[in-house]
Amino acid sequence: MTPPDDTLPGGEDEAAALWVARHLSHAVDSTAFEAWLRGAPGRRARFEALWVTCMDEAVTEGLRLHAETAPRPAGNDNAGTVPRASRRRALGLAAGGVLLVGALALGLPQLRFQLTPENSWSTGPGEVRAITLADGSQVHLNGNSRLFARIGANRREVRLETGEALFDITHDPARPFTVSAQDSTVTVLGTRFDVALNGEAVDLQVERGLVRFAANAPGIVPVRVPAGHGTRLAHGVIAPLARIQGEEAESWRNGWLRVRDMPLDELVPQLERWTDRQILVEDPALLRTRVAGRLHLAEPVAVLENLGLLHGFSVKDTGHALVLDRI
């Protein structure tokens, strides 16, 4: 098979596909393969990504069938002198190359997206960080948060691993924008919104536009969340939509949190984003205490001490943790 011209559009992709075919057919010149890998940047990543893609059962089964059933070429006077295993391997390589190039044509968008570099950002306790993604979208990360983003030519995917982020998405209907957080996925329909991981729950507040909020589990109906509304995914249930005030979604950017009626177990994860200490509650019943007020996140110890005076619990700073217990 004539090697593809790597200088032509798609040449690098076709070359990677043929090297995968050679590996599957056990007909690899290791020296030539290493020389090809070193010949241009990104070839190893391209080969490895395509190798993973082509491990799909349908592809490997097709390769096996082609290798076993492909007819012998006509007019080959020396065919009888070539061992059957060698002929089968050569035919398998040729068929495999055709199959893999075809599979590549179908899977190329996915391959190219997987080859798109993934960027990550993180913040320390109480640090609020402004980020501009490759598409121009703006993100503000709350304290103790970590975000990953891959912005490709056909789609944009972001993963919030810990903490909280406020998104202002650049409108681009040709490139869907999704944010995954724990067991949920937010699909953007052009909007400004906030996603927070609070304990085992995912909280969503939409300031502008519209999003689709879905749980990554069967049987849970996704909801469309319009501007001025919020919801929460907890214990496999998406809560009914609730109205939010305009400043609620982003008040933490200025170090404040406006709370109208919140149980302590929802407040604790938000305070932990602003301290290097874990917040421990000795009496689980305390977590059901409902609190309200405008809280200064930059002073989490003072916030807890003031709430303790109102609700009858103490705060002990051990140096590693803030321990809450009933008085």
Side-chain angles (χ1 to χ4, degrees), residues 264 267 271 291-292 295 302-313:
L264 193 61
L267 175 62
L271 292 177
V291 300
L295 310 179
V303 167
L304 290 171
E305 288 177 342
N306 290 335
L307 291 175
L309 291 175
L310 290 173
H311 299 285
F313 62 83

Side-chain angles (χ1 to χ4, degrees), residues 78-318:
N78 298 321
T81 65
V82 180
R84 178 177 299 177
S86 298
R87 294 199 306 273
R88 183 174 296 169
R89 187 158 52 246
L91 291 170
L93 173 59
V98 173
L99 265 177
L100 284 170
V101 172
L104 180 63
L106 296 175
L108 187 55
Q110 172 66 19
L111 171 62
R112 285 177 175 163
F113 184 75
Q114 292 303 319
L115 291 173
T116 301
E118 182 180 65
N119 297 311
S120 66
W121 300 265
S122 60
T123 54
E127 178 189 2
V128 175
R129 184 176 179 185
I131 299 163
T132 300
L133 301 182
D135 66 333
S137 295
Q138 302 293 315
V139 182
H140 284 84
L141 271 188
N142 203 339
N144 281 336
S145 300
R146 187 167 181 81
L147 184 81
F148 296 84
R150 181 175 276 129
I151 308 299
N154 299 306
R155 67 181 191 271
R156 302 168 287 175
E157 293 184 358
V158 170
R159 173 167 53 90
L160 180 64
E161 186 175 85
T162 59
E164 182 174 13
L166 177 70
F167 297 88
D168 195 343
I169 305 304
T170 299
H171 185 63
D172 188 351
R175 289 193 292 173
F177 194 108
T178 60
V179 178
S180 61
Q182 207 158 265
D183 296 325
S184 69
T185 301
V186 178
T187 302
V188 176
L189 308 175
T191 186
R192 179 181 172 90
F193 62 99
D194 185 272
V195 179
L197 293 170
N198 292 321
E200 299 299 317
V202 179
D203 287 308
L204 170 68
Q205 294 181 318
V206 180
E207 180 182 322
R208 183 181 70 240
L210 180 72
V211 307
R212 180 181 182 271
F213 190 45
N216 301 336
I220 304 176
V221 179
V223 298
R224 292 164 70 90
V225 186
H229 290 79
T231 185
R232 150 177 283 226
L233 171 64
H235 309 297
V237 176
I238 298 179
L241 300 186
R243 294 284 305 180
I244 61 171
Q245 299 297 323
E247 70 277 9
E248 286 186 16
E250 59 173 308
S251 60
W252 55 262
R253 288 176 56 193
N254 300 315
W256 292 89
L257 179 66
R258 187 178 297 278
V259 175
R260 288 181 289 173
D261 182 24
M262 178 182 290
L264 193 61
D265 70 335
E266 294 182 21
L267 175 62
V268 164
Q270 301 187 58
L271 292 177
E272 286 184 324
R273 288 196 268 275
W274 289 75
T275 177
D276 58 358
R277 292 164 172 79
Q278 186 180 7
I279 300 175
L280 304 176
V281 181
E282 293 289 338
D283 183 355
L286 270 179
L287 294 173
R288 297 194 294 271
T289 303
R290 306 194 75 84
V291 300
R294 187 169 180 264
L295 310 179
H296 194 194
L297 291 170
E299 299 180 0
V301 176
V303 167
L304 290 171
E305 288 177 342
N306 290 335
L307 291 175
L309 291 175
L310 290 173
H311 299 285
F313 62 83
S314 63
V315 181
K316 180 182 178 181
D317 189 346
T318 68

Side-chain angles (χ1 to χ4, degrees), residues 1-16:
M1 182 176 295
T2 303
D5 182 355
D6 293 347
T7 65
L8 297 176
E12 289 282 4
D13 295 323
E14 184 179 348

